[in-house]
Amino acid sequence: MPAVVPVKFSYAARGLWFDWSDSGAQEGDHVICQTERGQEIGLVIDDVRDVTDDELADTIGDAELKPVLRVASLEDLERAEQLAQMGDDAFPIFCRFAAEENLDMKPVGAEYLFDGEKVVCYFSADERVDFRQLVRDLSHELHQRIDMRQIGVREVAAVIGGYGHCGQELCCRRFGLSFEPISIRMAKEQDLPLNSTKISGACGRLMCCLRYEFEAYKDFKNRAPKRNAVIETPLGTGKIVEYNTPKEEVVIRLENGKTVRIPLGDMTASDAAKKKAEEFGCACRPDTVTRQVLEKLESPDVQMALAELDREHGVLEEEEPEINPDLFVKVPRTHRVRPSRMAPTYENETKDAKDVSPVEIPVDVPRRRRHHRQEAGLPETTKTSTQNTPQRTKRTRHPGDRAGMREAEPQTSQKTPPHDKQIRRPRRSHATSQAQAPATEQQNASSRRRHHGKNQTSKKTHGENSNNV
């Protein structure tokens, strides 16, 4: 068995086999090889291996297996760099002459062979091109032998390189595989949109990756139930609506509209399906989903549907939900009484006053208003009951009294209410404040009459102000 090594050249789409012939070349080495065009420098992309004669015949056909001359030295690498620079300089000249001749071609590149015998010009074209005049012009300009080589659009993409729709490097550039025919049927089998912009590659042809998973999709669809097939489940009949080939799952839509994903390996075939497959001589496809398969699913909707089904058949009894008493705690509502609302503590004046504890009597105290009550107008009983509280003087404002700055004259004592009755503070009124005004304010009666009415003067003379207390 011959020992071969694959070698990749600059303008080759994939690696070519060469006879190792004890050259000592390993993966990653640059080697000088003998080809049909002459000596060329290439890169070894894999280790040496032995192949059979049948495998060798399938790969190279009737072509002769060329040998590897030697591993490239430093001088060889420097010469290769010079030749690559010369090829880059010759490519613009190639493009200029092709445009002057108005030839229907796309120049791809120019390469100087390692032995310097000729220059190879690569181009792509849809039809046959007459480039005889172009060859004469290039030979006269470059002073070298010219070899024109036409390559396909896929090989152009492999030589130039680029990135595909997936964001990865082009498969033809990265893997260097042989170009196999690709049809639109492969896209249909994989349920891809038949849009040319989505299934075409950088070369304008169908993407090479359509062939990679074609066999896997074809095998899965041969074993899985057909689309829109009826599937029997414990929750009723379902229908196949979608495939997930990489995970080998089928999507089933139930009668209630819910969809579930079932692995193809967990589905079983009924007796009717097996009998039908035997009659027609075809593969038996599963058409039943058992309850154990549905219980494995982590779907709350499916679990609730199974529990409801068990209740309908009497397998499970409806249990009343337990109520945790700690969740509902009634907290008694407390009313907070302000200290200002409480009256002073009085002692019971009965015979057993010593044995009885003091009682707090709430007093309805009105809200504090802007004008305070005058100390002179308080009853005597009220004064005694409020002796613990600070005494305040009332400043009454009347027209002509300079904002209440005049001192009020003392009033005559009034009748004292009984002590055993509940004490209430007198209600303010304009008549009371008029009775407590000094005598010197009578001269302003005309102005007060405008605010308080005409009958207040008569009330003062008859002493009706005592009824307001």
Side-chain angles (χ1 to χ4, degrees):
M1 292 187 298
V4 297
V5 289
V7 180
K8 176 72 168 58
F9 297 100
S10 300
Y11 289 90
R14 58 188 181 88
L16 304 178
W17 282 1
F18 286 88
D19 187 5
W20 187 58
S21 63
D22 297 333
S23 61
Q26 298 179 358
E27 181 181 0
D29 293 340
H30 288 84
V31 294
I32 306 300
C33 303
Q34 183 66 37
T35 62
E36 296 178 354
R37 300 182 299 178
Q39 293 184 3
E40 298 185 46
I41 183 171
L43 177 67
V44 179
I45 59 177
D46 200 355
D47 290 332
V48 59
R49 63 190 183 95
D50 297 334
V51 296
T52 60
D53 295 338
D54 297 337
E55 187 178 0
L56 182 63
D58 295 338
T59 303
I60 65 175
D62 298 336
E64 181 183 0
L65 186 63
K66 299 293 183 179
V68 175
L69 299 180
R70 65 183 184 275
V71 177
S73 60
L74 294 178
E75 292 79 5
D76 296 335
L77 296 177
E78 291 177 359
R79 177 174 174 77
E81 292 180 0
Q82 294 176 1
L83 295 176
Q85 184 63 36
M86 294 172 62
D88 295 340
D89 298 338
F91 181 67
I93 299 174
F94 176 32
C95 296
R96 177 167 55 85
F97 282 115
E100 291 176 0
E101 297 290 339
N102 294 326
L103 299 178
D104 189 9
M105 65 167 55
K106 178 183 177 181
V108 177
E111 179 188 15
Y112 279 81
L113 297 183
F114 188 77
D115 53 6
E117 294 180 358
K118 64 177 69 173
V119 179
V120 182
C121 297
Y122 299 93
F123 69 95
S124 64
D126 296 334
E127 298 178 357
R128 187 180 179 86
V129 180
D130 185 7
F131 46 78
R132 289 175 294 181
Q133 183 61 35
L134 178 61
V135 171
R136 288 193 289 267
D137 296 339
L138 290 175
S139 178
H140 182 270
E141 182 72 20
L142 300 177
H143 306 284
Q144 295 285 345
R145 293 177 54 189
I146 304 300
D147 184 10
M148 302 294 295
R149 183 66 57 88
Q150 183 177 357
I151 58 179
V153 290
R154 291 187 176 181
E155 295 178 350
V156 173
V159 170
I160 298 177
Y163 293 90
H165 299 293
C166 59
Q168 302 291 332
E169 189 179 3
L170 296 178
C171 298
C172 53
R173 176 74 174 182
R174 180 169 51 173
F175 301 122
L177 303 176
S178 59
F179 298 105
E180 298 179 0
I182 301 174
S183 62
I184 195 67
R185 178 174 173 269
M186 297 181 180
K188 293 181 179 179
E189 193 72 22
Q190 301 177 43
D191 301 329
L192 295 176
L194 301 181
N195 190 348
S196 60
T197 58
K198 293 184 178 181
I199 60 177
S200 299
C203 58
R205 303 290 190 270
L206 293 176
M207 294 186 295
C208 300
C209 57
L210 295 177
R211 173 173 285 277
Y212 297 164
E213 299 179 352
F214 171 69
E215 297 297 334
Y217 276 85
K218 186 177 180 180
D219 177 68
F220 175 77
K221 290 189 174 182
N222 290 335
R223 295 183 289 109
K226 293 184 179 181
R227 194 181 294 271
N228 296 329
V230 178
I231 305 298
E232 296 293 335
T233 65
L235 302 178
T237 58
K239 184 184 292 185
I240 301 293
V241 295
E242 188 180 347
Y243 293 130
N244 190 352
T245 304
K247 294 184 178 181
E248 291 199 353
E249 294 178 349
V250 294
V251 180
I252 302 176
R253 178 176 295 169
L254 303 177
E255 294 178 350
N256 56 3
K258 301 293 183 180
T259 57
V260 292
R261 294 180 178 270
I262 306 297
L264 181 62
D266 295 342
M267 299 180 64
T268 57
S270 60
D271 296 337
K274 295 179 181 179
K275 184 178 179 180
K276 184 178 180 180
E278 292 177 358
E279 292 178 358
F280 292 94
C282 58
C284 182
R285 300 172 185 265
D287 61 346
T288 306
V289 177
T290 60
R291 182 186 177 89
Q292 290 77 10
V293 176
L294 294 179
E295 289 178 352
K296 294 179 182 179
L297 301 178
E298 297 179 358
S299 176
D301 296 335
V302 175
Q303 301 300 331
M304 292 176 61
L306 292 176
E308 186 67 23
L309 183 65
D310 293 340
R311 293 190 187 96
E312 293 178 358
H313 293 288
V315 178
L316 295 178
E317 297 181 357
E318 296 184 1
E319 299 180 357
E320 296 182 358
E322 297 182 358
I323 299 177
N324 189 357
D326 297 337
L327 297 179
F328 305 95
V329 179
K330 293 183 178 180
V331 181
R333 191 173 181 180
T334 58
H335 298 277
R336 201 174 69 180
V337 180
R338 296 181 179 178
S340 60
R341 298 281 181 174
M342 303 300 295
T345 304
Y346 294 91
E347 296 183 357
N348 194 356
E349 297 180 357
T350 58
K351 295 180 180 181
D352 301 333
K354 297 181 179 181
D355 300 333
V356 178
S357 60
V359 180
E360 295 181 357
I361 302 176
V363 178
D364 187 8
V365 181
R367 293 183 60 185
R368 180 178 298 177
R369 298 181 180 273
R370 181 177 178 181
H371 300 288
H372 300 287
R373 196 156 48 103
Q374 187 175 359
E375 182 66 23
L378 284 174
E380 295 179 359
T381 310
T382 309
K383 292 181 180 181
T384 57
S385 62
T386 59
Q387 58 185 355
N388 297 330
T389 59
Q391 298 181 0
R392 301 176 182 176
T393 58
K394 182 178 179 182
R395 298 174 60 185
T396 306
R397 182 178 179 182
H398 297 285
D401 62 349
R402 293 182 298 180
M405 297 301 294
R406 295 182 180 180
E407 298 181 356
E409 296 180 358
Q411 299 292 336
T412 58
S413 62
Q414 300 178 0
K415 295 181 180 181
T416 305
H419 182 69
D420 56 348
K421 294 183 179 181
Q422 185 176 4
I423 300 174
R424 293 183 177 272
R425 294 185 180 181
R427 183 178 180 182
R428 292 188 189 87
S429 62
H430 297 288
T432 305
S433 55
Q434 182 179 1
Q436 296 174 359
T440 56
E441 297 180 358
Q442 294 182 2
Q443 58 184 356
N444 299 327
S446 59
S447 60
R448 291 196 299 270
R449 198 177 296 116
R450 183 174 61 254
H451 299 283
H452 307 294
K454 298 179 181 181
N455 57 349
Q456 293 186 5
T457 307
S458 60
K459 289 183 182 181
K460 182 177 179 182
T461 56
H462 292 83
E464 293 180 0
N465 53 351
S466 62
N467 296 330
N468 297 329
V469 178

